[in-house]
PDB file of all heavy atoms in Angstrom:
ATOM      1  N   MET A 650      33.871  15.957  20.907  1.00  0.00           N
ATOM      2  CA  MET A 650      33.111  17.208  20.942  1.00  0.00           C
ATOM      3  C   MET A 650      31.656  16.967  20.532  1.00  0.00           C
ATOM      4  O   MET A 650      30.726  17.480  21.192  1.00  0.00           O
ATOM      5  CB  MET A 650      33.764  18.218  20.009  1.00  0.00           C
ATOM      6  CG  MET A 650      33.043  19.568  19.944  1.00  0.00           C
ATOM      7  SD  MET A 650      33.732  20.639  18.673  1.00  0.00           S
ATOM      8  CE  MET A 650      33.274  19.723  17.199  1.00  0.00           C
ATOM      9  N   ILE A 651      31.432  16.204  19.469  1.00  0.00           N
ATOM     10  CA  ILE A 651      30.059  15.916  19.032  1.00  0.00           C
ATOM     11  C   ILE A 651      29.309  15.141  20.101  1.00  0.00           C
ATOM     12  O   ILE A 651      28.113  15.396  20.374  1.00  0.00           O
ATOM     13  CB  ILE A 651      30.092  15.133  17.703  1.00  0.00           C
ATOM     14  CG1 ILE A 651      30.665  16.000  16.580  1.00  0.00           C
ATOM     15  CG2 ILE A 651      28.705  14.637  17.326  1.00  0.00           C
ATOM     16  CD1 ILE A 651      29.814  17.181  16.216  1.00  0.00           C
ATOM     17  N   PHE A 652      30.005  14.187  20.742  1.00  0.00           N
ATOM     18  CA  PHE A 652      29.349  13.396  21.783  1.00  0.00           C
ATOM     19  C   PHE A 652      28.938  14.273  22.964  1.00  0.00           C
ATOM     20  O   PHE A 652      27.854  14.110  23.533  1.00  0.00           O
ATOM     21  CB  PHE A 652      30.282  12.281  22.230  1.00  0.00           C
ATOM     22  CG  PHE A 652      29.703  11.388  23.281  1.00  0.00           C
ATOM     23  CD1 PHE A 652      28.732  10.442  22.971  1.00  0.00           C
ATOM     24  CD2 PHE A 652      30.124  11.488  24.599  1.00  0.00           C
ATOM     25  CE1 PHE A 652      28.191   9.618  23.950  1.00  0.00           C
ATOM     26  CE2 PHE A 652      29.587  10.677  25.585  1.00  0.00           C
ATOM     27  CZ  PHE A 652      28.618   9.738  25.259  1.00  0.00           C
ATOM     28  N   LYS A 653      29.789  15.219  23.335  1.00  0.00           N
ATOM     29  CA  LYS A 653      29.450  16.113  24.448  1.00  0.00           C
ATOM     30  C   LYS A 653      28.290  17.029  24.074  1.00  0.00           C
ATOM     31  O   LYS A 653      27.449  17.357  24.922  1.00  0.00           O
ATOM     32  CB  LYS A 653      30.674  16.929  24.836  1.00  0.00           C
ATOM     33  CG  LYS A 653      31.757  16.113  25.529  1.00  0.00           C
ATOM     34  CD  LYS A 653      32.930  16.979  25.931  1.00  0.00           C
ATOM     35  CE  LYS A 653      33.966  16.164  26.693  1.00  0.00           C
ATOM     36  NZ  LYS A 653      35.139  16.982  27.112  1.00  0.00           N
ATOM     37  N   ILE A 654      28.215  17.453  22.796  1.00  0.00           N
ATOM     38  CA  ILE A 654      27.071  18.258  22.349  1.00  0.00           C
ATOM     39  C   ILE A 654      25.777  17.455  22.464  1.00  0.00           C
ATOM     40  O   ILE A 654      24.735  17.987  22.883  1.00  0.00           O
ATOM     41  CB  ILE A 654      27.303  18.739  20.904  1.00  0.00           C
ATOM     42  CG1 ILE A 654      28.444  19.752  20.859  1.00  0.00           C
ATOM     43  CG2 ILE A 654      26.034  19.350  20.325  1.00  0.00           C
ATOM     44  CD1 ILE A 654      28.812  20.182  19.451  1.00  0.00           C
ATOM     45  N   MET A 655      25.845  16.184  22.101  1.00  0.00           N
ATOM     46  CA  MET A 655      24.655  15.335  22.232  1.00  0.00           C
ATOM     47  C   MET A 655      24.169  15.270  23.672  1.00  0.00           C
ATOM     48  O   MET A 655      22.972  15.413  23.948  1.00  0.00           O
ATOM     49  CB  MET A 655      24.969  13.923  21.723  1.00  0.00           C
ATOM     50  CG  MET A 655      25.058  13.753  20.231  1.00  0.00           C
ATOM     51  SD  MET A 655      25.275  12.019  19.780  1.00  0.00           S
ATOM     52  CE  MET A 655      23.729  11.340  20.411  1.00  0.00           C
ATOM     53  N   ARG A 656      25.080  15.042  24.574  1.00  0.00           N
ATOM     54  CA  ARG A 656      24.681  14.911  25.985  1.00  0.00           C
ATOM     55  C   ARG A 656      24.195  16.242  26.540  1.00  0.00           C
ATOM     56  O   ARG A 656      23.261  16.271  27.361  1.00  0.00           O
ATOM     57  CB  ARG A 656      25.843  14.367  26.808  1.00  0.00           C
ATOM     58  CG  ARG A 656      26.180  12.914  26.473  1.00  0.00           C
ATOM     59  CD  ARG A 656      27.215  12.357  27.444  1.00  0.00           C
ATOM     60  NE  ARG A 656      26.714  12.344  28.805  1.00  0.00           N
ATOM     61  CZ  ARG A 656      25.955  11.388  29.331  1.00  0.00           C
ATOM     62  NH1 ARG A 656      25.581  10.344  28.570  1.00  0.00           N
ATOM     63  NH2 ARG A 656      25.547  11.440  30.570  1.00  0.00           N
ATOM     64  N   SER A 657      24.797  17.342  26.101  1.00  0.00           N
ATOM     65  CA  SER A 657      24.351  18.645  26.608  1.00  0.00           C
ATOM     66  C   SER A 657      22.958  18.995  26.079  1.00  0.00           C
ATOM     67  O   SER A 657      22.198  19.708  26.756  1.00  0.00           O
ATOM     68  CB  SER A 657      25.355  19.723  26.214  1.00  0.00           C
ATOM     69  OG  SER A 657      25.424  19.846  24.798  1.00  0.00           O
ATOM     70  N   CYS A 658      22.633  18.542  24.871  1.00  0.00           N
ATOM     71  CA  CYS A 658      21.297  18.806  24.303  1.00  0.00           C
ATOM     72  C   CYS A 658      20.250  17.814  24.763  1.00  0.00           C
ATOM     73  O   CYS A 658      19.072  17.957  24.408  1.00  0.00           O
ATOM     74  CB  CYS A 658      21.373  18.794  22.781  1.00  0.00           C
ATOM     75  SG  CYS A 658      22.391  20.109  22.073  1.00  0.00           S
ATOM     76  N   GLY A 659      20.661  16.813  25.523  1.00  0.00           N
ATOM     77  CA  GLY A 659      19.703  15.840  26.023  1.00  0.00           C
ATOM     78  C   GLY A 659      19.201  14.862  24.983  1.00  0.00           C
ATOM     79  O   GLY A 659      18.121  14.277  25.156  1.00  0.00           O
ATOM     80  N   LEU A 660      19.968  14.679  23.911  1.00  0.00           N
ATOM     81  CA  LEU A 660      19.556  13.718  22.882  1.00  0.00           C
ATOM     82  C   LEU A 660      19.709  12.302  23.413  1.00  0.00           C
ATOM     83  O   LEU A 660      20.671  11.995  24.136  1.00  0.00           O
ATOM     84  CB  LEU A 660      20.395  13.898  21.616  1.00  0.00           C
ATOM     85  CG  LEU A 660      20.188  15.207  20.852  1.00  0.00           C
ATOM     86  CD1 LEU A 660      21.127  15.271  19.651  1.00  0.00           C
ATOM     87  CD2 LEU A 660      18.743  15.344  20.402  1.00  0.00           C
ATOM     88  N   PRO A 661      18.791  11.416  23.063  1.00  0.00           N
ATOM     89  CA  PRO A 661      18.893  10.029  23.548  1.00  0.00           C
ATOM     90  C   PRO A 661      20.082   9.314  22.922  1.00  0.00           C
ATOM     91  O   PRO A 661      20.429   9.540  21.758  1.00  0.00           O
ATOM     92  CB  PRO A 661      17.562   9.404  23.107  1.00  0.00           C
ATOM     93  CG  PRO A 661      17.103  10.228  21.954  1.00  0.00           C
ATOM     94  CD  PRO A 661      17.594  11.621  22.223  1.00  0.00           C
ATOM     95  N   THR A 662      20.726   8.476  23.717  1.00  0.00           N
ATOM     96  CA  THR A 662      21.835   7.660  23.240  1.00  0.00           C
ATOM     97  C   THR A 662      21.402   6.206  23.164  1.00  0.00           C
ATOM     98  O   THR A 662      20.318   5.837  23.639  1.00  0.00           O
ATOM     99  CB  THR A 662      23.047   7.804  24.167  1.00  0.00           C
ATOM    100  OG1 THR A 662      22.638   7.481  25.511  1.00  0.00           O
ATOM    101  CG2 THR A 662      23.589   9.221  24.134  1.00  0.00           C
TER     102      THR A 662
END
Side-chain angles (χ1 to χ4, degrees):
M650 179 187 67
I651 294 294
F652 181 75
K653 289 182 177 180
I654 292 175
M655 285 185 63
R656 292 188 62 84
S657 63
C658 295
L660 293 178
T662 55

